[in-house]
Amino acid sequence: MNQTKTNWGAMSTLIIVFFFWGFIAAGNGVFIPFCKDYFHLDQFQSQLVDYAFYIAYYLGALFLFWIGNARGSDIVGGWGYKRSIIYGLLFSAVGAGIMIAMVNAHSFPGMLLGLFMVALGFSLQQTAANPFAISLGDPSSAANRVNLGGGINSFGTMIGPIAVSLLLFGTATATEEQKRGLGLGNVSLLYAGVGALFILAAIIFGMSKKVPAGHSFEKTEHAHKAAWLMAVMTAGLLVAFVAVFGSYMDLPLNISDQELFGLEMKRMYYLLGALCLVIFLLLYANKKSATENGWGAMKYPQLVLGMLAIFTYVGVEVTIQSNLGALLELDSMGGIDTNNISPYISLYWGSLMIGRWAGSINLFSLSDIGKKIALIVVPMVAFGVIILVNTIASNDMSPFYVYIFFIAIQIAAFFFGQDKPARNLLIFSSLAVICMLVGMVTTGKVAIFAYLSGGLWCSILWPCIFAVSIAGLGKYTNQGAAFLIMMILGGGIIPPIQGKLADIIGIHSSYWITVVCFAYLALFAYLVKGILNKQGIDVDNLGVEGDH
């Protein structure tokens, strides 16, 4: 069988934007403590920094869909993947400019607007970049190309906080006091540099002759029912978020413990309502689209269930890390102080890099034995990079050497998965369920490493879910990609639900949420194989061409 070679010229340029997503988002960890202290925010309000990112992803992809639906043709396809990514980079540069202006104006809401604009540009970039990466070579290696981009993204995630700390403080590990004492001038300098990098990347992308335009001028049917469903979802989410965040703005100073508990429960109900709304509407669409017209890309069950899978995946990936600090503080987990958790966070995000580096091996022209050797060596090299970076940052990494045991399990999983997206999705999700259950029933180092291994199992889930979800969509591929990007919203709903649940039943018990999330991903892997087989799509050699 003839295989289309990967367009390495375009791919090497494309991974620049993958790096940016990880680098900038991870750098926000340095920015949040500054906002909390400078603007006198509580912990929940300071998390608006991250919420601005996640909501922007959702709304950005939603607007692209609505505009394309009104036009009767996909807007990203009309612009072309290349131009769409350039527009996204320039949009992010505008956001960086707004950040600088609002920092100097001492306006926290204005700074959130700037961050929102940066992430809005990211939303456009991701909507174009993921299907673009899939199209740059043989369909059977589509997930590998997204894995490679994800590996570079994870590298940016790992070094982002360290690089930002070096830039702002002259040291790789800034203390909380240093972060809180960060001056506005330093923040302006940071985002001036970020904005310049966005513009430089846009220029590089635009001048690269190796990057194809990636146009698609096919007309699509009006998906008015999908548009209405997303409008209802958006309205419901806005009601929930306004109720949750608004209750923090006018919190009485003399509130009693009983009143505070009642208020916390009310916030929990609103967050659960937002979660139930998303699940109900997606399942409703999955049922109705099978017999009705007007759903556009949502007429494909692999996409609708894949949207819920992306929602769940992003949510569980973020929630493991977001609640890790509180978990580590438990006496049963060793009573690790907040100031000493950085190597744990680094190892978690680095675990995603380990898996993604390994998941991209098949892109390279190696013999069968060479690929097998690389599948063993590359994860170990990636683990060595994590150890080296943290050692440079003055973290003692000797307690983490036993983590090689989990990496060995992941290597075995790759051999069993045989580079097949649906199979890998099932294997990695199932292993994640097992490790989360181990974490639930144990304490100390065993539980900690079991939860940290969630990064290993999450590592290749995004490209696997993306590949199987848009398989067979044909002219609806870009619309389907936009729907999937919207579901990054899961990172803005599932983590705070676990946080609120932790206040009620305890942080350790709250990790049952991770078990449920990974269980759905395993179920999706099982279901999607049958769905694609019914459509005549070879689930082991997925393509994105044609309308099946």
Side-chain angles (χ1 to χ4, degrees):
M1 181 176 66
N2 294 327
Q3 291 188 334
T4 305
K5 292 184 178 180
T6 297
N7 184 340
W8 281 110
M11 193 66 202
S12 60
T13 307
L14 182 61
I15 59 178
I16 293 174
V17 296
F18 279 88
F19 176 81
F20 272 139
W21 302 333
F23 183 88
I24 300 302
N28 281 341
V30 178
F31 186 58
I32 290 174
F34 161 73
C35 289
K36 182 179 179 181
D37 184 72
Y38 190 87
F39 294 104
H40 308 291
L41 309 173
D42 61 28
Q43 182 61 28
F44 197 90
Q45 289 168 334
S46 70
Q47 292 181 12
L48 283 170
V49 171
D50 279 337
Y51 274 96
F53 257 71
Y54 290 117
I55 292 174
Y57 272 107
Y58 171 75
L59 292 179
L62 180 63
F63 288 146
L64 287 175
F65 162 66
W66 276 343
I67 294 171
N69 184 59
R71 289 161 38 111
S73 61
D74 178 66
I75 189 169
V76 171
W79 286 343
Y81 294 133
K82 180 176 181 178
R83 188 183 297 178
S84 296
I85 291 172
I86 293 172
Y87 288 163
L89 287 165
L90 294 177
F91 213 90
S92 294
V94 171
I98 293 175
M99 273 293 297
I100 296 171
M102 293 300 106
V103 163
N104 292 326
H106 298 203
S107 170
F108 180 61
M111 293 162 71
L112 290 179
L113 174 62
L115 287 169
F116 179 87
M117 294 287 283
V118 170
L120 210 57
F122 283 4
S123 177
L124 176 55
Q125 293 167 44
Q126 283 225 31
T127 300
N130 283 283
F132 196 16
I134 288 173
S135 70
L136 291 176
D138 194 83
S140 64
S141 60
N144 299 118
R145 285 187 292 279
V146 181
N147 258 327
L148 179 61
I152 301 300
N153 174 272
S154 296
F155 182 66
T157 300
M158 185 181 64
I159 71 171
I162 295 174
V164 171
S165 292
L166 281 170
L167 174 64
L168 297 178
F169 311 111
T171 175
T173 53
T175 64
E176 292 300 309
E177 288 73 22
Q178 283 177 304
K179 293 176 182 178
R180 288 192 290 268
L182 178 61
L184 291 177
N186 299 67
V187 179
S188 296
L189 177 63
L190 169 63
Y191 279 93
V194 166
L197 288 174
F198 286 143
I199 294 173
L200 178 61
I203 293 173
I204 292 173
F205 223 82
M207 294 181 63
S208 176
K209 296 181 179 179
K210 296 181 179 179
V211 180
H215 286 294
S216 175
F217 297 107
E218 287 189 88
K219 296 292 182 181
T220 57
E221 70 180 44
H222 289 283
H224 58 278
K225 292 182 179 178
W228 274 109
L229 180 134
M230 298 311 299
V232 172
M233 182 183 295
T234 302
L237 292 173
L238 287 176
V239 169
F241 286 142
V242 168
V244 170
F245 290 121
S247 62
Y248 277 88
M249 301 302 177
D250 302 312
L251 192 65
L253 294 176
N254 59 345
I255 188 171
S256 67
D257 290 342
Q258 185 176 2
E259 289 174 325
L260 182 60
F261 179 78
L263 186 57
E264 292 294 336
M265 289 300 297
K266 185 179 293 186
R267 292 166 182 153
M268 180 71 167
Y269 294 147
Y270 274 113
L271 288 169
L272 285 174
L275 175 64
C276 292
L277 177 68
V278 172
I279 295 174
F280 171 77
L281 290 178
L282 289 179
L283 294 180
Y284 174 83
N286 185 56
K287 180 179 180 179
K288 290 294 184 178
S289 62
T291 57
E292 298 176 355
N293 295 323
W295 288 95
M298 281 191 180
K299 68 181 179 180
Y300 295 94
Q302 65 266 36
L303 175 70
V304 179
L305 296 180
M307 290 170 66
L308 186 55
I310 287 290
F311 179 92
T312 305
Y313 157 72
V314 176
V316 73
E317 177 193 276
V318 174
T319 202
I320 291 174
Q321 183 269 153
S322 294
N323 292 285
L324 191 61
L327 180 73
L328 294 175
E329 290 178 341
L330 295 177
D331 291 338
S332 60
M333 296 295 172
I336 301 167
D337 187 78
T338 305
N339 292 331
N340 297 317
I341 68 170
S342 60
Y344 295 88
I345 301 298
S346 177
L347 181 58
Y348 176 74
W349 290 117
S351 295
L352 277 88
M353 182 183 74
I354 292 172
R356 288 168 177 172
W357 282 17
S360 62
I361 287 173
N362 280 346
L363 281 179
F364 302 94
S365 300
L366 300 174
S367 64
D368 289 342
I369 187 65
K371 289 180 180 179
K372 292 178 180 178
I373 294 173
L375 201 53
I376 297 172
V377 173
V378 168
M380 295 303 175
V381 170
F383 183 53
V385 171
I386 298 169
I387 298 295
L388 176 62
V389 169
N390 279 276
T391 301
I392 293 173
S394 303
N395 291 322
D396 179 18
M397 298 300 289
S398 57
F400 298 92
Y401 294 157
V402 296
Y403 195 64
I404 289 177
F405 170 76
F406 287 94
I407 298 175
I409 296 176
Q410 187 194 54
I411 291 172
F414 272 116
F415 277 104
F416 280 110
Q418 298 180 1
D419 198 39
K420 302 184 187 305
R423 183 183 298 183
N424 273 329
L425 180 57
L426 179 60
I427 292 173
F428 276 65
S429 298
S430 299
L431 286 170
V433 170
I434 293 171
C435 286
M436 296 303 105
L437 287 172
V438 170
M440 291 299 304
V441 300
T442 59
T443 57
K445 293 294 183 183
V446 174
I448 291 172
F449 285 132
Y451 287 130
L452 289 177
S453 73
L456 293 173
W457 316 126
C458 282
S459 61
I460 65 166
L461 295 188
W462 172 279
C464 289
I465 295 170
F466 213 98
V468 298
S469 297
I470 67 173
L473 266 61
K475 62 184 179 181
Y476 296 100
T477 296
N478 293 331
Q479 187 183 98
F483 280 134
L484 292 173
I485 298 302
M486 290 178 205
M487 293 298 103
I488 291 177
L489 175 72
I493 294 180
I494 293 177
I497 287 178
Q498 183 180 351
K500 293 300 179 189
L501 187 62
D503 292 334
I504 301 170
I505 64 174
I507 184 63
H508 195 178
S509 298
S510 73
Y511 269 78
W512 274 110
I513 283 184
T514 66
V515 178
V516 175
C517 288
F518 283 121
Y520 171 70
L521 294 177
L523 175 64
F524 170 69
Y526 172 78
L527 294 175
V528 78
K529 184 173 182 178
I531 291 170
L532 294 178
N533 284 337
K534 287 182 179 179
Q535 296 176 15
I537 300 173
D538 184 354
V539 73
D540 291 330
N541 294 285
L542 292 177
V544 295
E545 303 298 331
D547 190 356
H548 296 271

